[in-house]
Amino acid sequence: MPSLGSIRRSFAPWNDAAAKPYIAFENVTKKFGDFTAVDKLSLAIYEREFFALLGASGCGKSTLLRMLAGFEEPSAGRILLDGQDLAGIPPYRRPVNMMFQSYALFPHMTVEQNIAFGLKQDRMPKAEIAERVASMLKLVRLGEFARRKPHQLSGGQRQRVALARSLAKRPKVLLLDEPLGALDKKLREETQFELMDLQHELGLTFIVVTHDQEEAMTMADRIAIMDKGEVMQVATPADIYEAPATRFVADFVGTVNLFEGKVADMSGDAGRILGADGFGLRVDNLAGAKNGARAWFAVRPEKIAISAVKPADEGLNAIEGEVWDIAYLGDMTIYHVRLEDGRIVRTSSVNSRRASDEQLTWHDRAWISFRPDAGIVLTR
Amino acid sequence: MNGRKWSRFNIVSVTLGFAFLYLPIVLLVIYSFNASRLVTVWAGFSTKWYVALLTDTAMQNAAWVTLRVALISASVATVLGTMAAIALVRYTRFRGRLLFSAMIYAPLVMPDVIIGLSLLLLFVAVGLDRGFFTIVLAHITFSMCFVAVVVQSRLLTFDRSLEEAAMDLGAPPVKTFFLITLPIIMPAVVSGWMLAFTLSLDDLVVASFASGPGATTLPMKIYSQVRLGVTPEINAVCTILIAIVTTGVVIASIVNKRREVRRLRDEQAARRG
Ligand SMILES: Nc1ncnc2c1ncn2[C@@H]1O[C@H](COP(=O)(O)OP(=O)(O)O)[C@@H](O)[C@H]1O
Ligand SMILES: [Mg+2]
């Protein structure tokens, strides 16, 4: 059997011009009174995709899901599912199911009855319901808890009941609103992998809402970064991290150092970004930029090296500063280096050897250095 | 009490308070077993007034009327009151909502005399023959407001996502109400029903206005007899009423307590895994 990773890598319908999106938001706006929760948003999601909506709390992620589930109607724009406009179709007739942030388990029903609820609404024969419920219970490993009521379960068990209930009807699309929010860290990490396996096994389309970037990066095929009701960027986790489209995205996902300046000395894609202090960063991915334009060079901490002496390689960007803060995390060490003009640059280095001989300590002079292609040039 | 000692002031005030509440009732119960016809003179223990009740058909009829009025009016008021509560909590933007909610609360503060009188005027105006039916109508009118208030406060804390989950799983709104909402708010609905039932049992004023010659409720009967002088027989009736009500209250609180204890135990067990 091929590994999950290799299948994942070959799965990229968004790059295929012939592929039709399974779910399409077209210029969707949602207003609550004067407040715009979702603003002219367009998104295309493909069949069998594991799609994550990532954004700060209050940016409209839940509202987007609720419009897809049918609990809210868009104020403007259309939502299409498999080519069909969903406008006017009530939630109980949509082929999508949702796992609620609060789980929303029915307190007066047992685990079994909770899972069977949706199947009963479809008038499925009793024997089939029993069979399906048993298989769902097995899937989420809750067989022995079938007769319990929700208040007799722990948080993790409740989460699994909610998942089983929303999967029982085999919906075409499963919407998950912060599904792991209430779990502790260890359980959350385990469950992330379980969800990925499950999604792959059942061949469903998952749309998961989260405000936890690690969670989104772990699980999703693609991530949409949202801010104030708008989508800032949609891309694979690697592209979001390595090729953010804007400063907002770069800053939102992971940590980033931004060097601001004006584009100068362009020749081909290479050139410089001239800072206010007159220091010129050598960069070689200026495609699309213009001489004199304002730009930011965004470099991730792990792509910056730190050393006590200036590196010999003249092709590197090297800046001198002072070690301002050190955080030793075991597997890696984070340095904050203060430059002449007071800016703080963050670097992180993996501690691949035990107790390195070249120890930098507080207030040492140090050089930070990075290659011209270590970062990305942002103009927004 | 948290290991803290009771101060003398507390003991005195609690004793006085309970005495004030229960002494009259205790006296009433004691005198219902009095052998003498004179209410204030103790002449030895006897159950003869209870025996006398067995043959008093007028009193029995009145009790029967009261019971039926209370059962019917409480049940109808519970249905109407629950519907009103849902309208008030769920449909926050219909026209005239403010007026509607004010009108729901008005009977709670309106003196019984005014309610009774206005209903009487209404019944006369529409030419309704006064009797059993009009008492039921009158009781529905005022007790439904109490039901609405009780159910409304429960609905305000109701988690709407439960209903959304049911609809998401394919249940249309009406089905969702009967399968999810109603079972969950049932304790409040039952409280509302019990409140309406007791209000109806108790009521003297509104019933006096609304009733006609054919129908007399127990409170009306007792009141009219007392005007001729308190008899041990009346004390006996009241003692029976007290016994019934007390039993009801005790059972209800035991059931509640049990449920609470079981719930706490389950939750602790769940936390332990
Ligand atoms: N029913 C509603 N009425 C008014 N405002 C709402 C309603 N639902 C959501 N909002 C507002 O819309 C914004 C986005 O909410 P939501 O989609 O829940 O954000 P999140 O990204 O945290 O899930 C929030 O500012 C919220 O206050
Ligand atoms: Mg949310």
Side-chain angles (χ1 to χ4, degrees):
Chain A
M1 201 182 123
S3 78
L4 196 60
S6 68
I7 290 171
R8 278 275 156 106
R9 227 162 288 136
S10 60
F11 176 77
W14 49 89
N15 289 331
D16 178 2
K20 255 184 48 193
Y22 193 56
I23 297 159
F25 288 85
E26 292 179 354
N27 281 313
V28 172
T29 297
K30 177 69 192 177
K31 291 194 165 153
F32 295 108
D34 290 339
F35 179 78
T36 308
V38 172
D39 197 5
K40 293 203 206 68
L41 178 146
S42 295
L43 260 186
I45 298 167
Y46 295 86
E47 200 162 4
R48 291 169 179 250
E49 189 173 0
F50 200 132
F51 194 89
L53 292 166
L54 177 63
S57 176
C59 70
K61 308 179 296 287
S62 294
T63 306
L64 205 60
L65 276 203
R66 292 171 57 77
M67 285 194 282
L68 189 51
F71 302 128
E72 310 277 1
E73 282 290 321
S75 315
R78 303 196 301 165
I79 304 175
L80 304 176
L81 178 80
D82 206 6
Q84 188 197 6
D85 192 340
L86 288 177
I89 301 180
Y92 46 92
R93 295 225 186 83
R94 295 192 182 197
V96 301
N97 280 142
M98 178 141 156
M99 186 182 146
F100 288 75
Q101 195 165 358
S102 59
Y103 305 152
L105 298 178
F106 307 133
H108 57 301
M109 296 185 189
T110 61
V111 168
E112 231 167 20
Q113 291 166 332
N114 264 283
I115 298 175
F117 186 87
L119 305 172
K120 280 190 187 144
Q121 305 314 310
D122 284 355
R123 305 249 156 74
M124 191 187 253
K126 272 220 168 76
E128 253 176 84
I129 291 184
E131 211 172 289
R132 180 75 66 86
V133 169
S135 81
M136 294 317 296
L137 282 170
K138 197 163 149 233
L139 187 71
V140 295
R141 288 170 289 131
L142 281 175
E144 55 195 299
F145 300 101
R147 297 276 151 77
R148 293 230 188 149
K149 294 264 182 79
H151 72 268
Q152 296 168 302
L153 300 175
S154 69
Q157 290 164 343
R158 279 182 218 183
Q159 185 266 348
R160 301 218 296 277
V161 177
L163 183 65
R165 187 180 69 178
S166 56
L167 279 172
K169 290 182 77 169
R170 305 269 158 84
K172 292 179 180 169
V173 182
L174 184 65
L175 312 176
L176 305 106
D177 194 348
E178 312 230 358
L180 313 179
L183 305 183
D184 56 45
K185 193 165 186 296
K186 199 158 169 344
L187 195 55
R188 197 160 63 211
E189 281 166 6
E190 280 172 29
T191 317
Q192 284 169 5
F193 288 101
E194 282 176 19
L195 278 179
M196 289 161 67
D197 291 346
L198 206 63
Q199 186 255 351
H200 182 248
E201 226 166 88
L202 302 175
L204 302 177
T205 308
F206 273 29
I207 305 181
V208 58
V209 157
T210 176
H211 64 257
D212 179 344
Q213 44 158 307
E214 243 177 76
E215 190 169 298
M217 304 276 277
T218 308
M219 297 195 292
D221 292 315
R222 282 191 308 157
I223 301 175
I225 306 281
M226 286 185 65
D227 182 38
K228 300 199 190 84
E230 290 179 69
V231 169
M232 308 306 288
Q233 186 173 5
V234 184
T236 61
D239 281 349
I240 291 271
Y241 190 76
E242 301 293 354
T246 63
R247 281 178 295 147
F248 176 86
V249 174
D251 197 38
F252 189 80
V253 179
T255 329
V256 74
N257 295 293
L258 289 168
F259 298 91
E260 188 182 352
K262 285 208 163 57
V263 177
D265 306 338
M266 272 185 75
S267 72
D269 283 350
R272 288 172 174 280
I273 291 183
L274 230 43
D277 53 358
F279 184 85
L281 285 181
R282 228 187 305 263
V283 300
D284 69 358
N285 42 11
L286 274 171
K290 278 202 280 287
N291 263 333
R294 202 159 155 226
W296 291 264
F297 194 58
V299 199
R300 300 287 183 192
E302 71 277 8
K303 299 193 175 63
I304 301 182
I306 184 166
S307 53
V309 292
K310 187 172 183 191
D313 187 348
E314 282 298 320
L316 293 178
N317 290 302
I319 314 173
E320 196 183 5
E322 179 187 349
V323 177
W324 199 249
D325 256 322
I326 305 176
Y328 174 73
L329 302 180
D331 55 344
M332 61 180 197
T333 305
I334 293 174
Y335 295 94
H336 286 189
V337 177
R338 191 170 185 269
L339 305 185
E340 298 302 328
D341 57 3
R343 269 181 310 164
I344 301 282
V345 174
R346 278 162 295 191
T347 81
S348 62
S349 30
V350 176
N351 299 324
S352 48
R353 281 178 299 168
R354 295 186 59 209
S356 151
D357 35 314
E358 186 198 341
Q359 287 277 4
L360 282 165
T361 182
W362 275 268
H363 304 302
D364 279 355
R365 302 301 295 173
W367 286 82
I368 57 160
S369 56
F370 48 92
R371 291 154 51 100
D373 62 357
I376 185 159
V377 177
L378 301 174
T379 50
R380 277 186 297 151
Chain B
M1 291 263 129
N2 288 338
R4 220 190 296 165
K5 275 209 175 132
W6 282 56
S7 73
R8 187 165 299 171
F9 176 76
N10 274 345
I11 295 173
V12 171
S13 55
V14 166
T15 313
L16 275 180
F18 273 97
F20 198 70
L21 274 175
Y22 289 105
L23 204 56
I25 295 179
V26 172
L27 279 179
L28 185 145
V29 173
I30 291 172
Y31 277 112
S32 74
F33 293 104
N34 192 356
S36 160
R37 169 155 279 282
L38 296 170
V39 181
T40 49
V41 182
W42 181 255
F45 181 85
S46 155
T47 54
K48 68 176 177 189
W49 305 113
Y50 289 89
V51 178
L53 272 183
L54 288 177
T55 56
D56 186 344
T57 47
M59 198 62 94
Q60 281 168 17
N61 280 341
W64 184 229
V65 167
T66 304
L67 197 65
R68 277 187 306 161
V69 167
L71 280 173
I72 298 171
S73 68
S75 304
V76 178
T78 302
V79 173
L80 294 179
T82 303
M83 279 161 51
I86 289 168
L88 281 172
V89 174
R90 295 297 163 78
Y91 306 99
T92 47
R93 277 192 299 239
F94 66 89
R95 276 178 57 180
R97 177 177 182 278
L98 199 66
L99 186 67
F100 186 61
S101 60
M103 278 164 63
I104 281 287
Y105 283 109
L108 301 187
V109 290
M110 195 95 77
D112 283 355
V113 184
I114 296 179
I115 298 178
L117 188 60
S118 51
L119 282 168
L120 172 65
L121 290 177
L122 175 76
F123 294 147
V124 171
V126 299
L128 214 52
D129 278 338
R130 279 172 296 129
F132 180 81
F133 181 61
T134 47
I135 302 178
V136 171
L137 274 188
H139 282 187
I140 291 171
T141 311
F142 76 81
S143 55
M144 128 188 179
C145 311
F146 289 85
V147 177
V149 170
V150 172
V151 175
Q152 190 183 16
S153 67
R154 173 64 188 91
L155 280 175
L156 286 175
T157 59
F158 185 87
D159 180 5
R160 293 297 303 270
S161 65
L162 293 174
E163 288 170 348
E164 288 179 345
M167 285 201 261
D168 189 60
L169 292 167
V174 174
K175 214 167 170 198
T176 298
F177 177 78
F178 283 107
L179 292 180
I180 305 295
T181 319
L182 192 58
I184 294 174
I185 64 167
M186 197 41 105
V189 174
V190 170
S191 308
W193 186 90
M194 295 213 296
L195 187 60
F197 186 79
T198 19
L199 283 171
S200 171
L201 274 190
D202 265 11
D203 171 66
L204 169 64
V205 179
V206 176
S208 311
F209 279 102
S211 84
T216 307
T217 65
L218 196 56
M220 287 163 70
K221 178 82 184 156
I222 293 172
Y223 185 69
S224 65
Q225 291 220 344
V226 167
R227 278 196 304 190
L228 307 174
V230 180
T231 65
E233 197 183 338
I234 295 292
N235 289 347
V237 174
C238 295
T239 303
I240 292 172
L241 275 181
I242 290 167
I244 292 171
V245 170
T246 312
T247 317
V249 169
V250 169
I251 288 174
S253 59
I254 287 176
V255 168
N256 252 336
K257 181 86 190 163
R258 284 247 174 98
R259 197 162 33 196
E260 193 61 26
V261 168
R262 183 160 357 111
R263 192 180 171 78
L264 277 178
R265 211 175 36 218
D266 286 349
E267 270 167 13
Q268 270 164 7
R271 261 201 299 279
R272 279 198 302 272

